[in-house]
Each structure stands twice: as structure tokens, then as C-alpha cells.
Amino acid sequence: MYGNEMNVNVIKSLIERRQSNANGNHIDLAGVFNSSYAYMLKLYHSVIELDDENDSDNANVVPDSDTEHCEDCRSCQRVEETGFEVLPVYIQLYIFSFLSAWDLARLSSTCKYWNVLANDCLVWKSLLERDMVKWNKVGHRSNPLTYIEVESDRTYKDIYLRCSPEIKNHPANFQLTNLLRVLIPRKAPRLVMFGPGLESNVSGITRAIMFDGNPQFKITGMFPGEIDGVGSGFSVTLQDSSKAMKLITLYSASKKERENHKQVNRADRNKLLVGTGDHGYEVHDSIRELCKTVDGFIYVVESTKGDNLGGTEELFAMMNEGNTCRRVPLLVLSCVTETTQERSPCIEVVQHLDLQKLNRPWLVHDVVVKNLDGVLPALNWLIEAAQRS
């Protein structure tokens, strides 16, 4: 690490202080940064040419002067010519914090000095904090919060590369086992769909999948309930991969009952649950028997920004390991009605639902109900995970 460790917010404040001292000249950092070369020159002329008196304000954070550079590297010589090397290291790191993971990978191969900058812990910490709220899916093996909370030995770069869906979905990371898995025939898993989202503004997701004639899905039949009439559903084929599933939908109550008891806590009026007397809940006996026969769960929540994601009583009652094997996977569909709606990030859904507490495979995936964007990859993950369990 160079000099004193600082987070990106501190670095930003230092640059803003330098800007305010630069004879009142204001610099649009975000705008200039669209051109990396122009950005470097702008910083060079606005920061380096400040009076020594102004520079001394931040003298305590200037890195050690014995930082090594690769003397024979042509890339470093070109950097020196632009004045980038003369910038304080914390400003260099601040510039690098705007880049993508792919940009950092490319820069790290240009010269030894930029390799050090591109692998700096502060840069990757900033990148992780910036990007994880943009990820459209977070799973039990790709949840950055897990690594951060347990103070894992992994670096922020390792955590980012392990958790980022953009990195994991890159064609270079395709594995032969993925192809072999497609070639091996498997039975259609029984999946249970439930959750507060089925009774909210995004409740149309069930109809969109099964009854609106969407070409992404094909209904191939119906099957009856096996336990006191509970568990009936539809056999569905995913057209993009020819994967099949048996989908069972569970509601907390009938539509009329839900409308008549809107003011009542959903857990208290939920017919899937029974109270335990200590403000806790467990599933009804018939639901418990059903859970023992299914291969996967789909929990639907409405994640429109500002809306309540709902309680976790129903989720944790269903996921109780006394009801179902811990290998049975859980898919959380984080739904909004239309693409234009602002939504809560997947990482916030993970935190709200306390999914870190679940000892089973799980995935949170963004979904748009109107065009079913995100549904197919989410269901493909669940079906594959269910067939492996």
C-alpha cells in the first residue's frame, strides 16, 4: 500500500480541496474523465501547478518517494511524458477507481508500475462497492457481503472476480461440464413458487409465464395435488433450453380473503403458516409434507424502489431444514413491473431477507414482469441446481 491508507471518499475530498484552491477554477471530474488522456492532463495542470503553500496542506498523505518504477519500460516513459507519474499516488488511484474490471486487467499488462496501481486494494474495494449494487443477480457463492463480514483472507480483487456476474458469464469462463450437463437427460424438477410478490403489483408474473401464451414457455400439461389436494400445478417447458419443470404455486389465502384482511399482518393471515406461540411461525402440516417432495423453491418479491419487500416469516418457515433437505435450492425473483421503474439492487434484497443465514444454494435475480426479462436465466439456474441436488 502507498503511504497512508485512505478510502475513495477521502481521496475525492482531497481533490475537491485542491480544486477549491486552484484560483476558483472548477473542474468537472466526471465529464473530463470520459477522455482518460484529457483527464490526466487536466489534473496535471490544475493540481501539480498549485503553489507549494497549498500543496503542503496534504503533505501528510503524499506516498513514499521511493516508489519503484520500471526504468526501461516504454509504457512508463510515455506516462512520464504526460505527467501522470508526477501526480500524487492517491490521485492516480482515484483515477483508476473509475475504470472497469476489464480496463484494469488491460492496464495491468502495460507496465510494472501500472500493474501495481491496477491491483491496488483500494481500487478494487472502490470497484466492488460501486458495482455490486448494479449486479442483476447475487447467489450463495457470489455474495460479496459474506466474504466481507467474515473478514475473509481474499483480497477485494479476488472477491470481485469471484462474485461479479459479468466476469462469471464471460465466454472465457465456460466450462465443459456445462455442455455435458445439457447432454445428460434429467427428470423435470418439482418447484414451488410462493411469496408476497404473488399478491402485489407484480403478481402478473404467474399469468405471464403460464397463461399469456409467451413463446418463452410452453405448458405441456397439468398434474394433481398429492397431499390433501395441495401441490397441483402445471408442467412447463423452457423453449430456449428445452428444460422442463413442474410448477406449483402457493398463495397465503384466496384473493377475496386477502382483500378483506388487507390491514392484518400477512404472516398472521397466511394459511400456509401456523403460529408457534412465541411470535414465531411454522408451516402447516400439509405444506410441510409438500416441501419434503419438491426439488426447488421460488420466492417472489416486489423490489420497486421505496416499496416494502415484506417480512421474512414465510420464507424462513418454508426453508426450515426440518421441512426440506438443505441441498434443495432457493431462487428469489426480485421483480418490478416495467423496465423504467427504479428498483432495489439485488444486494439490498439479500440483506433485507437475511439470505446469508440460509445453509442452502440460493440466488437472487432481477426480473421485469412485463417482458419477463431475467426469468429464463433465473429458472435455468434453479433447474440445474435442483437436478444437481
Side-chain angles (χ1 to χ4, degrees), residues 40-85:
M40 294 174 189
L41 291 181
K42 194 77 172 181
L43 278 177
Y44 175 71
H45 291 300
S46 63
V47 179
I48 300 303
E49 294 181 356
L50 292 177
D51 294 334
D52 292 338
E53 181 179 344
N54 291 331
D55 285 339
S56 63
D57 291 339
N58 296 314
N60 61 316
V61 293
V62 175
D64 297 336
S65 59
D66 59 350
T67 304
E68 294 185 2
H69 295 264
C70 35
E71 298 178 355
D72 297 330
C73 178
R74 294 182 179 179
S75 298
C76 275
Q77 293 172 4
R78 288 195 296 270
V79 170
E80 291 177 2
E81 293 172 1
T82 65
F84 181 76
E85 186 201 36

Side-chain angles (χ1 to χ4, degrees), residues 159-264:
I159 295 173
Y160 187 99
L161 297 180
R162 183 177 181 85
C163 298
S164 170
E166 180 184 357
I167 303 297
K168 294 172 70 70
N169 292 340
H170 194 270
N173 293 326
F174 178 80
Q175 298 178 357
L176 181 60
T177 53
N178 295 335
L179 176 61
L180 296 178
R181 194 176 295 120
V182 174
L183 300 178
I184 300 174
R186 303 288 183 96
K187 71 171 186 176
R190 287 165 55 88
L191 308 177
V192 168
M193 179 185 286
F194 67 106
L198 295 181
E199 304 162 13
S200 68
N201 295 326
V202 296
S203 60
I205 187 171
T206 306
R207 183 179 64 253
I209 291 175
M210 296 190 290
F211 304 119
D212 285 356
N214 191 294
Q216 300 179 76
F217 304 94
K218 181 180 180 182
I219 306 299
T220 58
M222 297 180 60
F223 55 90
E226 300 176 359
I227 305 167
D228 297 332
V230 177
S232 60
F234 294 86
S235 297
V236 184
T237 300
L238 280 58
Q239 297 296 76
D240 72 324
S241 60
S242 298
K243 291 186 176 72
M245 63 181 180
K246 294 182 177 181
L247 186 61
I248 303 166
T249 306
L250 299 178
Y251 293 90
S252 66
S254 66
K255 184 176 181 180
K256 184 176 181 180
E257 290 173 325
R258 297 198 304 268
E259 291 176 350
N260 292 337
H261 300 88
K262 286 184 178 179
Q263 304 304 321
V264 180

Side-chain angles (χ1 to χ4, degrees), residues 6 23 47 69 127 141 199 208 252 263 315 338 352 362 377 386:
M6 300 176 293
N23 300 323
V47 179
H69 295 264
L127 191 66
R141 292 180 176 175
E199 304 162 13
S252 66
Q263 304 304 321
L315 174 63
E338 298 183 355
H352 178 83
W362 56 263

